[in-house]
Amino acid sequence: DDLPEFVAVFGPGVIGLELGQALTRLGVRIRMFGVGGAIGPLRDEKLRANADRVFNEEFYLDPDAKVEKIERVEDDNGAGVEITFIERGSEARLTERFDYLLAATGRRPNVDRLNIEALGLKLDERGVPIFNRHTLQTRLSDDTPSHVFIAGDANNDLPLLHEASDEGRIAGDNAGRFPDVRAGQRKSTIAVVFSDPQMATIGLSTAEIEQRYGACDCYAVGEVDFTGQGRSRVMRMNKGMLRVYGEQGTGLLLGAEIFGPRAEHLAHLLAWSHQQRMTIEQMLEMPFYHPVIEEGLRTALRDLNANLQLGPAIVERCMECGPGD
């Protein structure tokens, strides 16, 4: 009943994008500001560029904004926020007044008031205890584990509900059976942003793949552009892209990033395949109905399969760069 007219959103991450786009579709004008070029969880530069263009068709988004001043103001028009920034595209210096500023720039674990230093735990640069991802056990030193276990938002490793649930089970089991600590199963990573188009990440990102393999050509990429994908066109949701990554030599699925229609469902198919350590050829042997968006996934897999080099000689060369698991 009482929507603002103009809102500044800082942080084009998961929360900023979801709430900012929702406000836009409720009739609120927004400007969205980011730092460093990040858009949601996307790490693939080609998908970032695509998402940047698509979102800017609907609202102003500058993922690497130059903001010079933010000031709370109050006058005859009431309270508001005044922001001075360099406008993207025109490079003009603007000062605009907003009804509200929505700060969606991230959170940090609320551990600074627990006096955890008294436990002698080894902390990282953020003041969060260093822990083993498979046991959730913290450490007193590099060689000495402690009796404290940390899970969920407290460790801020993967702040997602399903990950927190898995971590809580592992940490609770190990705390209950201590000192008989056992590694728990960590599932393939999957994350979804409920923007429109949706975003999703599965398995390893391009940055993680490149960190693992370095500069060598030990992985290949396949893609589909949803602009011409049949079912997406029929539904008038034909925006975005899907990119999948496979390991040279073995043909194993390494990961994927999606910016497109029904990404939440495509992401589950990919995460299940990644969890089962399926090859691209095995995935292509699965049935694909017509006409469905999943046919776009098949297009990307076919593209990736054509770009892969398979065989023991390639596997041996790639193993010199990094492990395939």
Side-chain angles (χ1 to χ4, degrees):
D1 295 333
D2 186 24
L3 287 169
E5 293 185 7
F6 202 11
V7 172
V9 180
F10 277 77
V14 176
I15 304 303
L17 284 171
E18 290 178 350
L19 293 182
Q21 190 171 47
L23 287 171
T24 295
R25 296 188 176 189
L26 287 169
V28 178
R29 286 194 303 135
I30 75 164
R31 285 192 186 265
M32 189 175 294
F33 304 96
V35 176
I39 301 179
L42 300 178
R43 305 291 294 275
D44 190 303
E45 292 297 333
K46 196 166 185 178
L47 262 70
R48 274 189 185 178
N50 190 282
D52 189 1
R53 177 182 58 79
V54 170
F55 283 131
N56 268 289
E57 293 173 357
E58 187 173 356
F59 54 86
Y60 177 93
L61 166 62
D62 186 351
D64 192 17
K66 300 178 181 65
V67 177
E68 297 182 347
K69 186 178 180 182
I70 302 174
E71 185 177 21
R72 179 182 174 88
V73 294
E74 190 163 1
D75 51 29
D76 294 340
N77 297 319
V81 180
E82 200 168 78
I83 301 175
T84 301
F85 61 97
I86 304 300
E87 186 178 41
R88 185 182 186 185
S90 71
E91 298 304 313
R93 177 177 284 100
L94 300 181
T95 297
E96 293 186 335
R97 180 193 174 105
F98 299 84
D99 298 306
Y100 292 98
L101 185 155
L102 172 61
T105 53
R107 298 182 299 167
R108 59 182 176 81
N110 188 20
V111 297
D112 55 336
R113 301 178 185 177
L114 299 180
N115 194 26
I116 54 178
E117 295 83 358
L119 291 170
L121 300 178
K122 187 170 184 179
L123 308 179
D124 64 16
E125 65 277 2
R126 303 169 302 160
V128 177
I130 293 174
F131 65 99
N132 183 309
R133 289 191 73 251
H134 299 285
T135 64
L136 284 304
Q137 187 176 27
T138 60
R139 311 191 70 81
L140 296 171
S141 67
D142 289 337
D143 302 319
T144 309
S146 81
H147 64 286
V148 178
F149 299 83
I150 187 169
D153 285 0
N155 66 43
N156 203 39
D157 179 33
L158 294 169
L160 301 166
L161 177 61
H162 67 280
E163 293 285 356
S165 178
D166 288 347
E167 288 184 359
R169 170 60 63 87
I170 296 169
D173 284 350
N174 279 329
R177 68 163 62 96
F178 186 82
D180 181 18
V181 176
R182 304 174 188 176
Q185 181 187 15
R186 300 303 301 268
K187 300 182 178 71
S188 291
T189 57
I190 174 175
V192 179
V193 182
F194 296 100
S195 55
D196 181 20
Q198 292 181 341
M199 299 179 178
T201 58
I202 305 95
L204 298 177
S205 68
T206 51
E208 290 169 328
I209 294 172
E210 288 166 7
Q211 182 180 15
R212 170 175 293 188
Y213 293 107
C216 80
D217 57 348
C218 288
Y219 77 100
V221 181
E223 70 177 48
V224 62
D225 190 322
F226 286 106
T227 304
Q229 200 276 319
R231 178 63 182 273
S232 302
R233 291 178 61 192
V234 170
M235 297 193 307
R236 301 179 69 183
M237 299 175 65
N238 54 324
K239 294 182 179 181
M241 298 180 68
L242 160 64
R243 303 246 297 170
V244 286
Y245 320 119
E247 185 179 57
Q248 298 283 23
T250 65
L252 286 170
L253 173 67
L254 294 175
E257 291 195 7
I258 312 171
F259 174 64
R262 305 290 193 266
E264 59 184 303
H265 304 299
L266 298 177
H268 278 83
L269 296 180
L270 286 160
W272 294 347
S273 300
H274 186 266
Q275 179 86 11
Q276 294 298 315
R277 293 182 55 79
M278 293 180 70
T279 66
I280 306 305
E281 285 187 346
Q282 288 173 328
M283 295 172 69
L284 284 169
E285 291 171 358
M286 299 296 105
F288 290 85
Y289 202 74
H290 172 79
V292 293
I293 289 177
E294 283 76 6
E295 287 179 299
L297 170 58
R298 182 178 61 185
T299 298
L301 292 174
R302 283 175 172 171
D303 185 39
L304 173 54
N305 203 45
N307 295 330
L308 283 170
Q309 296 175 309
L310 305 178
I314 303 297
V315 173
E316 183 176 350
R317 178 165 63 84
C318 289
M319 287 300 288
E320 295 175 0
C321 303
D325 58 356

